[in-house]
Amino acid sequence: AKLLRVLESGEFEMLGSSQTQRTDVRIISATNGDFAAMIAEGSFRQDLYYRLNTLEFRVPSLRERRKILQY
């Protein structure tokens, strides 16, 4: 919930402080999990996923990649 607040409004409070501060950050995250399944089972928040998922890049596993160079 705290991360979602920072992503939505850019506001946070430092630990032990009651003063609200503003920030402008970009977050890069990675996972090997299936978000659709995680959201369906309730282990990942849908509203947080919506905020994080602005650009999605899928990098295939090494097993799925074709061999480009033959040694």
Side-chain angles (χ1 to χ4, degrees), residues 17-68:
S17 173
S18 61
Q19 184 179 8
T20 301
Q21 297 182 3
R22 293 198 51 84
T23 186
D24 183 20
V25 297
R26 293 174 191 239
I27 295 182
I28 299 173
S29 60
T31 184
N32 62 351
D34 180 11
F35 277 117
M38 292 167 58
I39 290 170
E41 68 185 25
S43 62
F44 198 88
R45 291 177 55 147
Q46 186 173 8
D47 52 352
L48 180 58
Y49 176 72
Y50 173 77
R51 288 291 175 190
L52 288 175
N53 192 29
T54 55
L55 292 174
E56 183 177 338
F57 297 97
R58 184 182 181 288
V59 179
S61 66
L62 292 175
R63 187 178 22 228
E64 296 172 341
R65 298 179 197 176
R66 294 184 309 178
K67 289 186 178 180
I68 297 174

